[in-house]
Structure formats: structure tokens, C-alpha cells
Amino acid sequence: MTTRTLLLADGTHMTGEAFGADRQVTAEVVFTTGMTGYQETLTDQSYNGQIVTFTYPLIGNTGINRDDMESLFPTTAGVVCREVPRLSSNWRDRQSLDAFLKVHGIPGLAGIDTRALVRRLRTEGVMKGVLLGPDADLEVELERLRETELPTDQIAQVSTRTAYPSPLGGHSVVLFDFGLKHSILRELGKRGCAVTVVPHDISADRVRALAPDGIMLSNGPGDPKSVPGVQEVIRELQEEYPIFGICMGHQLFCLANGADTYKLRFGHRGFNHPVRDLATGRIDFTSQNHGYAVDPASIRGTELEVTQIEINDETIEGVRHRRLGSFSVQYHPDAAAGPHDAAHIFDDFIALMDAGRPARADLAPRSDLALTEGTH
């Protein structure tokens, strides 16, 4: 058995069994509480550049299939879990987790006390970590780890570089790609939307040339303040089109409207987060994956109103623009993986486009638009 060690920036280290790719990686170490959906988690680009710790003790028992990918290629930096089975079994199984990680260059660590690791991260907050081989000098590596600056251009790493369409008919939706999950496209497709996915740094004029009925701001990794140019584009477009933001899109929508964000101690990552709608009292269990949240005090004095909160810690989970009706949610209503309680939020977006569509009925997409030239 080959060993591997996880070394945290506070000096904590845990040694266990190596699996996946044979390489050393340095990244932020986070944890997720989902009991299912490890494939969706690993291919969710909101985890870009992070070492993901699974709290559920057995990961990989159903293997990897072709249908549950949330992106074409995973960009997760590393995987930590309690146990990885030697054999996987499911009628859709095409590849073991170990083989999947090797193909995509992602190292894994198993056989450690993940409960102790999660307690550490909950107490001290998420922190930098490095996955090391068996012969590493821990003192040298700790000094190097503490000096390492992690990249901040995570959205630029995962966003598409060229726009691309998925035409179906019905409502025309422009979807900003900050690291989108394929399940968002599936939910819009179920509702007959023709979606054009565009780069995160596209200009407002290029979006106008597509003459959308509505605009979606996708999920994505990292700090929302790392892409300040997007805020001005959102401010321009929200005056003309209905906007719906998810996760990173929610945070960017709030920043564009004068609110502020802050980093959570250990974030919300999992599929069991209860969210209360303040108007109706309805409680939905939701899928979440974010390390930042909107500051409630910063909402005062803006045109935003809080619509939903997280029951566990009362963080903001939804806002609506008082004058324009555009809205955003911090969780993932596309529910991949996770409960489907909040899928109705997509219907609210459809209704918002229905209400705003007549004002733009005379517009038509420009046939000469070069989608491959969609960036600034």
C-alpha cells in the first residue's frame, strides 16, 4: 500500500492510503456533508482548485457513470475520504473512482479519521493544505505551504472562452458561465428554453446583440470580488432584462446592487441545508456549495430585499430587486445532487421572463453575431 499525507497550514497532518493520481497538490481544504452525489460533487466546478473532504464514510461504491457529470472535466484539486471500496457496483457503472481520478490527474487520500479533520476545519476554518507523498519532509513542506499563495482567478480558469448555443425554442436565455453545472442547462431545457452560454467577461453590448428574454448568472468557484468587471455589466443589463442568479451569480448580483460579501468560516457544502421563504414560511431542503455569503447589514440602503434565509445560521439565501423583480438564490435549485424541493425557482424565472417579454417583442437576435468573439 502506498501512503499519502494531508498536511494543513496549522501543522495538522494525517497519513493514510493513497489512491487516484500520483501527484502532489496544494489547495484550500473544504468538506461536504452530502451522503450521496460524490460524482456530481467532484465535477461541480464550484470546487475548482479545492481538496474536497467527504464526511460520508464510504465514497466510490457505485463507481462513475456517463450521466451524472456536472462538467466535461473535473477541476477539483484533490479528494479525502474515510474509505474507498476496492470494487464498485451499479448498473450504470463505467469506471471506478480510483481510475477516474487517475485519468484526470486528481490525487486521493483514504483511511484517515475524516471526523477529526472536519472538526478541525469547523473550529479553525477552512485552510490551505497539501497532499504529500510518503517521503516528504513535513517541516520543509509546512514552511513552503505557509508561503504559498493560492490563485484567485478561479472563475477565469473554468469559464468558457467562447459563447455556444443549445437551441430548443421558447424563451431565449443568456447564461453567464462562472463555472456552471450541466444540471442548470437541464432544468432550463425542461422548460423549453433556448440557452446561449457566454464567457464570464462578455460585454453588455454583446449580450444585447443576442436579444435575450432573460439572463442567468451561474454558480462558480472562489471569491465573487475577484471578477469586479462583471458587476458593472450586471448593473447595465438588469435595467433591460430579467435576471436570475445562482450561488456565485447570487453573490455577484448582490455586489452589483451595492451589497457586500464575506468569507464564511467553513462554508456550506452539502445537500441538506434548510432554507425558509420569509414571505410564505415554506421550508425547502437545498443543495449548497459556497464559501462566501452576503452581509445582511449591507443590504440596508440598497434596492434589494431578503427573501430567504438559511435556518441553521440565518445567512442570506435569497434576494429580490424591489423595483425590477430580478432575483437570486445562494443555493442550487438544480439539485444535482440533492433534494428537488427548490426546483420551482426555475418556474419563477420563467414567470419573470413572461412578464417582461412584451417590452422586447420587437427585438430579434442579430444573425451576424460571432459567438466566438463574445469576450471584451
Side-chain angles (χ1 to χ4, degrees):
M1 181 185 74
T2 301
T3 62
R4 178 169 285 150
T5 298
L6 172 65
L7 174 64
L8 299 179
D10 68 352
T12 301
H13 58 90
M14 298 180 174
T15 299
E17 178 183 354
F19 70 102
D22 183 16
R23 59 188 291 254
Q24 178 173 317
V25 296
T26 301
E28 183 179 54
V29 182
V30 302
F31 67 89
T32 177
T33 60
M35 296 176 66
T36 60
Y38 60 82
Q39 180 174 336
E40 291 91 336
T41 296
L42 294 175
T43 55
D44 178 356
Q45 294 184 109
S46 293
Y47 284 106
N48 176 63
Q50 293 179 322
I51 297 172
V52 181
T53 303
F54 289 92
T55 61
Y56 191 71
L58 182 64
I59 299 297
N61 55 309
T62 58
I64 300 292
N65 65 72
R66 296 178 297 185
D67 303 324
D68 293 336
M69 303 285 284
E70 286 300 315
S71 61
L72 292 177
F73 303 103
T75 59
T76 303
V79 177
V80 177
C81 57
R82 179 68 184 90
E83 181 182 353
V84 175
R86 289 188 233 173
L87 297 175
S88 55
S89 177
N90 184 271
W91 66 277
R92 296 190 301 163
D93 180 16
R94 293 292 184 271
Q95 191 177 37
S96 70
L97 175 60
D98 178 56
F100 176 76
L101 295 182
K102 286 177 179 174
V103 167
H104 296 288
I106 301 172
L109 169 64
I112 68 166
D113 186 349
T114 51
R115 295 172 300 177
L117 174 58
V118 169
R119 282 198 299 269
R120 193 72 179 168
L121 297 177
R122 285 179 62 91
T123 302
E124 302 299 327
V126 296
M127 64 185 83
K128 290 183 294 185
V130 56
L131 288 171
L132 301 165
D135 301 322
D137 185 321
L138 295 185
E139 290 187 7
V140 172
E141 293 295 344
L142 180 59
E143 183 178 353
R144 181 179 296 135
L145 172 62
R146 289 172 173 169
E147 294 174 351
T148 299
E149 295 292 332
L150 298 179
T152 59
D153 61 340
Q154 293 180 342
I155 289 177
Q157 292 176 26
V158 298
S159 175
T160 182
R161 290 177 172 80
T162 59
Y164 60 91
S166 57
L168 287 174
H171 292 290
S172 174
V173 176
V174 166
L175 174 54
F176 278 67
D177 179 13
F178 302 119
L180 69 86
K181 296 168 66 180
H182 289 174
S183 49
I184 295 177
L185 296 174
R186 288 194 290 269
E187 288 298 325
L188 291 172
K190 288 178 185 177
R191 291 158 177 82
C193 295
V195 182
T196 301
V197 180
V198 298
H200 74 284
D201 57 353
I202 192 171
S203 69
D205 284 340
R206 301 298 289 182
V207 173
R208 290 188 185 99
L210 291 167
D213 297 312
I215 294 170
M216 275 202 67
L217 311 173
S218 85
N219 64 292
D223 185 346
K225 294 177 182 176
S226 67
V227 284
V230 174
Q231 297 176 32
E232 179 55 38
V233 174
I234 294 173
R235 278 193 291 272
E236 283 189 49
L237 295 175
Q238 70 181 8
E239 298 293 331
E240 304 171 46
Y241 308 99
I243 290 181
F244 169 30
I246 290 177
C247 200
M248 173 60 71
H250 160 75
Q251 295 165 11
L252 289 169
F253 179 67
C254 291
L255 287 171
N257 282 283
D260 196 11
T261 58
Y262 66 97
K263 187 168 185 176
L264 296 164
R265 177 179 291 274
F266 49 81
H268 294 171
R269 297 177 179 90
F271 312 128
N272 55 354
H273 291 264
V275 170
R276 175 184 289 119
D277 186 285
L278 297 180
T280 65
R282 171 177 172 148
I283 295 175
D284 290 332
F285 280 88
T286 65
S287 170
Q288 300 197 14
N289 176 12
H290 58 274
Y292 292 79
V294 175
D295 182 358
S298 70
I299 295 291
R300 291 192 289 271
T302 72
E303 292 189 277
L304 301 176
E305 61 177 338
V306 178
T307 57
Q308 296 170 303
I309 62 168
E310 223 267 16
I311 292 177
N312 290 328
D313 60 9
E314 297 189 341
T315 50
I316 292 176
E317 291 291 335
V319 300
R320 184 178 296 274
H321 197 289
R322 297 176 187 272
R323 176 171 55 87
L324 302 173
S326 291
F327 65 96
S328 61
V329 295
Q330 181 64 81
Y331 51 87
H332 292 254
D334 47 289
H340 293 77
D341 297 19
H344 61 90
I345 298 295
F346 284 93
D347 298 324
D348 294 343
F349 180 49
I350 299 296
L352 186 63
M353 287 191 288
D354 285 337
R357 202 174 189 185
R360 299 185 304 283
D362 59 330
L363 295 178
R366 278 172 41 188
S367 61
D368 62 337
L369 182 68
L371 294 179
T372 57
E373 298 175 0
T375 57
H376 285 302

